[in-house]
Amino acid sequence: MDLKQINRAVEGYLPQADEADAARLRFFKGLFELQQRRADELEAVAAYEPAPGDQLDRAYLAGTAAFTAAPVVVAARDLAATCAQVAAELAAHAGLADQAAFALREADWDELLSGADLGLAGSDPVAFVTDVVARRGELGVPTALTDDLLAMALAFSLRPHLQGPAARVMGAVSDDAKSGSHSRPLDCPVCGSPAALSRVGEVDTLHGGARIQYCATCGTSWPFERIRCGSCGSRSQEGIHHFHVDGDEAHRLETCEGCGQYQRVVFANDLQVPLALEVEDVVMAKLDRIALDPRFSARGE
Ligand SMILES: [Zn+2]
Ligand SMILES: [Zn+2]
């Protein structure tokens, strides 16, 4: 994560943010700092080797997540330590109800993760979170720790373990696989998570291309087709629409008639603040509320 850029983006949003949004931005800025600090600690002790380049390219083009062939080793004790830090941060600064904060602080992560499938954590993180939540009774998760909170704490905790290896994978995938005339991966080519958001615009020449998808689970961004549904992969030009909220051209919802899903898209050229995808993920949460509003599904005008 680029903490300097994240800070610039947060500072850009704060003056216009209402109290609740400002508190959210400050919470996430603290969380990103924690995640990066933890990622640095973990990087210093663990070495990750991606699969060989030609094998990586083949998997990339086939849409197979790189971590399934070469998983990250996530030690239960390390992940438990990360979870304890993330849970303490959530409890202290996320504005949660007392009972939820207490449950987070009191959770015994060593105990809870001792029965979890850590192999899944490093090969298919979305499945890992789903698995822990599904087996919560067996794993001894306290009742006050709701499914949502548990999933959130786990997902936030996995990022520091995965982002370093993910960057190494993307560094080893060839430019041709990433940007040649092939179909782009729909889900994250590294960890298999669905994209959290999309960025359109030429501002970020580092990533090239007109559109990239961003994975919040492992931090990967990858080139994507300009006109294509990020959920089902449909390329139907007529079936894909963009909506923005009054006065905000930079943040739009891209909807797909084919699958009925939507994706949050930041149009970088219309953005009034410095671009940090981590921060956009936080800011665009309000688009989810709009997308879920029944009036939105009666779209068409
Ligand atoms: Zn990913
Ligand atoms: Zn679709």
Side-chain angles (χ1 to χ4, degrees):
M1 277 184 232
D2 184 343
L3 291 178
K4 283 204 184 105
Q5 187 66 5
I6 284 172
N7 191 42
R8 280 191 282 267
V10 168
E11 291 302 318
Y13 277 117
L14 278 178
Q16 72 213 26
D18 65 28
E19 210 173 310
D21 286 344
R24 264 173 60 76
L25 281 165
R26 288 199 192 91
F27 162 71
F28 274 100
K29 181 170 170 276
L31 177 71
F32 297 145
E33 286 165 1
L34 185 165
Q35 286 174 318
Q36 186 57 48
R37 195 166 57 236
R38 189 70 183 130
D40 291 341
E41 286 169 12
L42 293 162
E43 272 289 281
V45 292
Y48 173 80
E49 275 302 320
D54 52 338
Q55 201 180 315
L56 268 185
D57 278 2
R58 274 199 304 277
Y60 191 97
L61 294 174
T64 309
F67 283 169
T68 57
V72 180
V73 176
V74 179
R77 211 181 49 179
D78 289 341
L79 185 59
T82 313
C83 285
Q85 290 182 25
V86 166
E89 186 79 8
L90 277 163
H93 301 296
L96 297 168
D98 288 348
Q99 205 187 11
F102 184 78
L104 278 167
R105 253 188 238 107
E106 292 298 300
D108 183 342
W109 296 97
D110 275 308
E111 173 70 24
L112 201 154
L113 292 174
S114 64
D117 183 355
L118 272 298
L120 218 46
S123 61
D124 188 345
V126 171
F128 172 75
V129 173
T130 307
D131 181 60
V132 171
V133 172
R135 295 197 294 125
R136 55 174 298 149
E138 178 195 330
L139 297 173
V141 177
T143 320
L145 197 56
T146 62
D147 288 357
D148 283 353
L149 269 182
L150 175 62
M152 200 188 290
L154 290 169
F156 289 162
S157 300
L158 282 170
R159 170 81 183 248
H161 294 258
L162 303 180
Q163 69 173 21
R168 239 170 273 179
V169 167
M170 287 303 276
V173 174
S174 74
D175 289 343
D176 177 64
K178 282 187 256 191
S179 307
S181 53
H182 322 281
S183 179
R184 308 283 186 244
L186 192 56
D187 291 327
C188 175
V190 179
C191 79
S193 300
L197 62 90
S198 204
R199 185 228 65 193
V200 167
E202 318 274 12
V203 164
D204 187 359
T205 49
L206 200 72
H207 289 103
R211 180 177 181 188
I212 59 156
Q213 300 294 79
Y214 165 71
C215 171
T217 307
C218 74
T220 295
S221 40
W222 70 99
F224 199 65
E225 291 87 350
R226 177 67 182 79
I227 306 290
R228 189 180 175 202
C229 171
S231 295
C232 73
S234 162
R235 294 166 213 256
S236 155
Q237 194 131 16
E238 305 78 50
I240 293 173
H241 309 283
H242 287 102
F243 298 87
H244 62 84
V245 186
D246 301 338
D248 185 2
E249 295 274 327
H251 301 110
R252 305 186 206 179
L253 284 171
E254 181 180 277
T255 63
C256 169
E257 287 176 14
C259 66
Q261 299 295 309
Y262 69 92
Q263 191 169 32
R264 307 174 306 168
V265 186
V266 54
F267 281 71
N269 294 343
D270 296 314
L271 205 57
Q272 307 295 319
V273 305
L275 176 76
L277 294 173
E278 285 83 2
V279 177
E280 291 304 320
D281 194 19
V282 175
V283 169
M284 289 205 283
K286 62 168 70 102
L287 290 184
D288 292 330
R289 291 195 289 273
I290 294 165
L292 294 172
D293 189 316
R295 282 169 296 180
F296 181 77
S297 34
R299 60 195 184 238
E301 74 272 25

